[in-house]
Amino acid sequence: MTTEPNTDPLVIFTPSGQRGHFAKGTSILDAARQLGVDLDSVCGGRGICSKCQVTPSFGDFPKHGLTVSEEALSEWNAVEERYRHKRGLIHGRRLGCQAKVEGDVIIDVPPESQVHKQVVRKAADSRVIEMDPATKLVVVEVEEPDMHAPTGDFERLKDALREQWQIERVEADLNILTRLQPTLRKGKWQVSLAMHICHAGGPSRILDIWPGVAEQGLYGLAIDLGSTTIAAHLCDLSDGAVMASSGAMNPQIRFGEDLMSRVSYAMMNPGGDQEMTKAVREALNGLIADLIKETDIPPERLYEAVIVCNPVMHHLLMGIDPVELGQAPFALATSDSLSLQASDLDLLAMAPRARVYALPCIAGHVGADAAAVALAESPQSSSDLALMVDVGTNAEILLGDRDGVLACSSPTGPAFEGAQISSGQRAAPGAIERIEIDPVTKEPRFRIIGVNMWSDEAGFETAAAATGISGICGSGIIEAVAEMRIAGLLDPTGLIGSAEATGTSRCIPDGRTHSYVIWDGSADGGPVITVTQGDIRAIQLAKSALYAGARLLMDQRGVDKVDRVVLAGAFGAHISPKHAMVLGMIPDVPLDKVQSAGNAAGTGARIALCNLGARAEIERVVREITKVETAVEPKFQDHFVAANAIPHASDPFPELSQVVTLPDVNYNTGGGDSAEGGRRRRRRKA
């Protein structure tokens, strides 16, 4: 019997990745509710509260196989027009309760329309940084004018900077020059300057000027611009203290969840690159405004930002079409570091003459974020062979020691972020983030974001009532798959067994496969949270890409083992080494040799913000890193296929076997799916 394809329009929500077919005329709000998408509404869909604002995306989306036309949604109606006229509606936004589905469409739910706000897990660590910032406050004594030695006030100011601060070349824009003479005279020839020092031999710049000895605070931003999330840390440039940290989802997700999807969007849609550039710059301005509001630091005191990002994000931020990064030889427009005016990037939430420094990229698919990890973790100075993995939608991998450093990137996709997972969601209160499965009873216990207790502890239901149990985030799905393998619910190939084979009714039929039920909240109108066979496959693909990239670097180095593994990024801080190794994400090492570096890319950005010498150092180190391009390496595919098994089809994991015994089960039996049937079949083949 064949199943007729669903001809109703397809609605895809970002950033959650949830999707479904809906009859024409269904409101976006109703579609979101049926899928469990986090879209706010308190007025019952009457167009009064405006909390259900969404942003539709139009154009060609090759990854989804969709072309979304302007007619995909019903026309703008009187309710929306009334709201726009009375209270304002951002251009391009629609009210989810009013916009009706008329065709295939992609809908972005902005952060302010989400009930459970995203938790961006890229907090600043407590790293001690030697302070020598590029932007600093200096006080100079300037000689008074002399009729017998006629020179301009600016020339004498430059002489003072050379003699008193050894700053050789100095520039100032017209705004500074117009203020210079009255400021010098008011300060009785003593002035304070906000100076931006160039580390690469270029001219230094005067960013601001005050009479006398000023006690103005100077502040800067360290920004980690990721494919999925953006994190920013506002730092005091006098001592490096982090005054506040904030994060946001990258709004470019609506154009494509992974980097190549965004490149494809730019290729297929004229002006698509400009759309994405505008979106990310607006997001950065919003993030900066949030930090200013939190700290009460005036925007005119934000004099510098250091930004790290992957090559595609780098080009889109700079306003450079990323099309060349989507095809061999993956040429960057520039791989050097960049020093720009913030206004060049439309970052208008900062001081008028603020500067932006972008770290250098390593190669076409290994960006400034990987360079920032190298700056923070110094593999080039390591006495042992270290594998450093910054896991996200695109994984950057470094392998090295004092004898040299290798680098590559692997397209892991958004599964580690909770996207493309049936019950998946971004990290937000109510999302399952930790899970354990009893290997005997097969019963799960879990923890959710926002509640500091396990689901089987007294008081959990009361504590969880505020947020509900809404889905499963990236760290949760990784632990769930690993725990299912440990408990024997999953065989090495990634197949989920039936209830009869596994001995638990939590394994339920799901089409031609099975799913494992973690939580059934349907009795109270909540979601049923399961791990499906499709979820397993998505995680297998992601972890295989990661492991294959690491193994490729090990091949290049001529080794079968590494001495230690460093997990960086949001993932690294929220997943246990045991689960990562059971899954086969990383090579086998003793578990105490797996370390978490937190948001190492963000730390690298802070180091570059607070220490001028670090910029010259990382520019030197990047030139010495050997890049390995996974896209053209034949062995990458071999490693990828072998890594599909959990933990691996051929590589031994002796260190893991000392702490975990993985059940010998096989559910790919052909005529049946019992564990014993699978084992008998293997013996007959032998």
Side-chain angles (χ1 to χ4, degrees):
M1 179 175 121
T2 59
T3 304
E4 291 294 323
N6 194 328
T7 57
D8 287 333
L10 176 64
V11 182
I12 300 175
F13 286 93
T14 64
S16 69
Q18 289 162 292
R19 62 185 63 202
H21 290 273
F22 296 92
K24 290 184 178 181
T26 304
S27 74
I28 293 300
L29 180 59
D30 285 342
R33 285 171 170 169
Q34 290 180 48
L35 290 175
V37 172
D38 194 12
L39 178 58
D40 202 357
S41 177
V42 296
C43 71
R46 292 177 292 155
I48 298 173
C49 71
S50 81
K51 292 185 176 295
C52 64
Q53 292 183 31
V54 296
T55 304
S57 294
F58 306 109
D60 292 317
F61 297 87
K63 179 176 178 180
H64 300 302
L66 293 183
T67 296
V68 182
S69 70
E70 299 278 352
E71 291 74 40
L73 291 179
S74 58
E75 292 183 359
W76 183 266
N77 68 16
V79 174
E80 291 171 299
E81 178 58 29
R82 183 176 70 248
Y83 181 83
R84 184 197 66 78
H85 178 71
K86 288 188 174 182
R87 302 177 66 181
L89 196 62
I90 295 173
H91 180 71
R93 292 269 181 95
R94 297 290 303 270
L95 296 182
C97 61
Q98 301 301 310
K100 306 292 196 300
V101 176
E102 296 294 338
D104 296 342
V105 67
I106 294 176
I107 299 291
D108 183 63
V109 181
E112 58 269 31
S113 297
Q114 298 170 20
V115 181
H116 303 113
K117 304 307 179 188
Q118 305 294 338
V119 178
V120 179
R121 296 175 159 188
K122 292 187 174 182
D125 67 17
S126 56
R127 181 76 59 96
V128 176
I129 301 171
E130 181 181 346
M131 293 302 297
D132 181 23
T135 301
K136 59 185 66 180
L137 188 69
V138 301
V139 178
V140 291
E141 301 278 351
V142 181
E143 286 190 8
E144 296 185 37
D146 184 343
M147 218 167 31
H148 302 290
T151 57
D153 285 352
F154 184 51
E155 284 66 40
R156 282 181 282 104
L157 174 62
K158 289 193 288 185
D159 289 342
L161 285 167
R162 184 184 307 110
E163 293 167 5
Q164 297 168 35
W165 291 92
Q166 293 75 55
I167 301 174
E168 292 293 330
R169 297 171 58 198
V170 177
E171 291 183 351
D173 65 20
L174 187 59
N175 179 275
I176 297 295
L177 292 177
T178 59
R179 296 162 53 199
L180 176 60
Q181 290 190 311
T183 304
L184 279 170
R185 285 152 181 82
K186 185 177 181 180
K188 297 181 171 47
W189 307 102
Q190 182 185 66
V191 291
S192 299
L193 304 172
M195 290 294 306
H196 182 267
I197 313 299
C198 180
H199 69 284
S204 297
R205 305 183 69 85
I206 300 175
L207 303 182
D208 219 334
I209 184 169
W210 303 274
V213 179
E215 297 183 359
Q216 304 291 347
L218 274 59
Y219 301 91
L221 297 160
I223 300 173
D224 177 10
L225 175 53
S227 308
T228 302
T229 57
I230 309 171
H233 311 295
L234 194 157
C235 303
D236 187 327
L237 294 178
S238 65
D239 58 10
V242 177
M243 309 301 293
S245 298
S246 187
M249 304 306 295
N250 188 329
Q252 292 179 344
I253 289 173
R254 68 177 182 266
F255 303 104
E257 291 175 325
D258 56 73
L259 297 175
M260 287 304 102
S261 293
R262 292 178 205 177
V263 173
S264 295
Y265 184 84
M267 289 178 173
M268 302 289 290
N269 300 277
D273 59 316
Q274 297 166 35
E275 284 185 81
M276 290 185 279
T277 294
K278 181 182 178 183
V280 76
R281 289 179 179 180
E282 288 178 349
L284 286 174
N285 276 312
L287 197 54
I288 295 168
D290 289 343
L291 290 167
I292 289 170
K293 184 177 180 181
E294 182 178 345
T295 58
D296 288 328
I297 291 170
E300 59 269 21
R301 294 289 177 261
L302 291 179
Y303 287 103
E304 188 173 17
V306 170
I307 298 179
V308 301
C309 48
N310 61 57
V312 172
M313 292 309 312
H314 174 280
H315 278 33
L316 288 172
L317 173 64
M318 301 300 164
I320 301 170
D321 191 333
V323 62
E324 292 299 332
L325 296 174
Q327 55 199 3
F330 314 111
L332 287 154
T334 177
S335 58
D336 285 344
S337 63
L338 294 174
S339 185
L340 309 165
Q341 291 189 155
S343 57
D344 291 340
L345 303 180
D346 299 325
L347 299 183
L348 305 180
M350 302 178 66
R353 286 165 296 283
R355 304 292 296 177
V356 171
Y357 175 78
L359 268 68
C361 292
I362 296 174
H365 282 164
V366 185
D369 45 1
V373 172
L375 181 57
E377 296 301 316
S378 299
Q380 68 277 4
S381 304
S382 177
S383 58
D384 55 2
L385 187 60
L387 180 74
M388 299 177 181
V389 185
D390 191 355
V391 182
T393 305
N394 195 63
E396 286 79 28
I397 307 171
L398 301 170
L399 175 67
D401 56 17
R402 292 170 183 163
D403 293 331
V405 180
L406 301 166
C408 75
S409 68
S410 275
T412 50
F416 288 149
E417 307 278 356
Q420 297 182 346
I421 301 299
S422 61
S423 297
Q425 66 170 85
R426 307 294 178 186
I432 295 174
E433 62 172 340
R434 299 288 313 278
I435 184 169
E436 294 177 354
I437 299 175
D438 189 298
V440 177
T441 66
K442 319 298 185 187
E443 287 296 301
R445 65 195 293 256
F446 54 83
R447 288 175 61 172
I448 62 173
I449 296 174
V451 177
N452 193 29
M453 62 179 66
W454 290 89
S455 59
D456 58 353
E457 291 184 64
F460 173 81
E461 290 188 10
T462 301
T467 62
I469 302 168
S470 51
I472 187 165
C473 67
S475 61
I477 191 63
I478 290 166
E479 291 201 7
V481 175
E483 285 285 320
M484 288 172 68
R485 179 71 183 92
I486 295 170
L489 302 169
L490 196 68
D491 73 11
T493 70
L495 281 176
I496 302 173
S498 66
E500 293 76 19
T502 60
T504 175
S505 59
R506 287 185 175 271
C507 288
I508 60 173
D510 189 356
R512 300 178 63 183
T513 60
H514 296 91
S515 295
Y516 176 74
V517 179
I518 296 175
W519 169 258
D520 186 350
S522 58
D524 299 317
V528 179
I529 299 173
T530 63
V531 179
T532 69
Q533 193 64 66
D535 298 339
I536 301 293
R537 292 301 181 222
I539 293 297
Q540 282 179 291
L541 292 174
K543 75 96 175 181
S544 297
L546 183 59
Y547 188 90
R551 199 67 185 84
L552 198 60
L553 296 187
M554 293 164 66
D555 289 347
Q556 293 281 333
R557 187 63 186 259
V559 299
D560 289 320
K561 289 185 70 67
V562 299
D563 295 318
R564 61 187 174 96
V565 175
V566 179
L567 296 174
F571 164 80
H574 291 91
I575 198 73
S576 74
K578 181 181 79 171
H579 290 103
M581 204 167 293
V582 168
L583 203 56
M585 293 179 64
I586 55 176
D588 185 70
V589 294
L591 293 185
D592 62 358
K593 294 297 183 181
V594 182
Q595 305 159 344
S596 171
N599 182 22
T603 299
R606 285 172 50 225
I607 293 171
L609 177 69
C610 296
N611 188 285
L612 193 62
R615 302 185 186 188
E617 170 67 11
I618 194 56
E619 289 169 11
R620 179 192 65 79
V621 168
V622 161
R623 289 192 294 269
E624 297 174 356
I625 292 175
T626 301
K627 169 64 171 61
V628 177
E629 181 52 69
T630 58
V632 296
E633 284 286 344
K635 290 188 71 175
F636 180 82
Q637 188 62 28
D638 295 336
H639 287 311
F640 180 86
V641 172
N644 261 255
I646 303 175
H648 198 276
S650 54
D651 285 358
F653 277 69
E655 300 291 347
L656 177 63
S657 64
Q658 293 183 35
V659 292
V660 176
T661 300
L662 299 178
D664 179 20
V665 293
N666 177 14
Y667 301 127
N668 187 20
T669 61
D673 60 1
S674 73
E676 291 142 281
R679 283 194 286 271
R680 286 197 300 271
R681 182 176 181 135
R682 288 201 303 276
R683 285 197 294 270
R684 286 198 297 270
K685 282 187 174 182

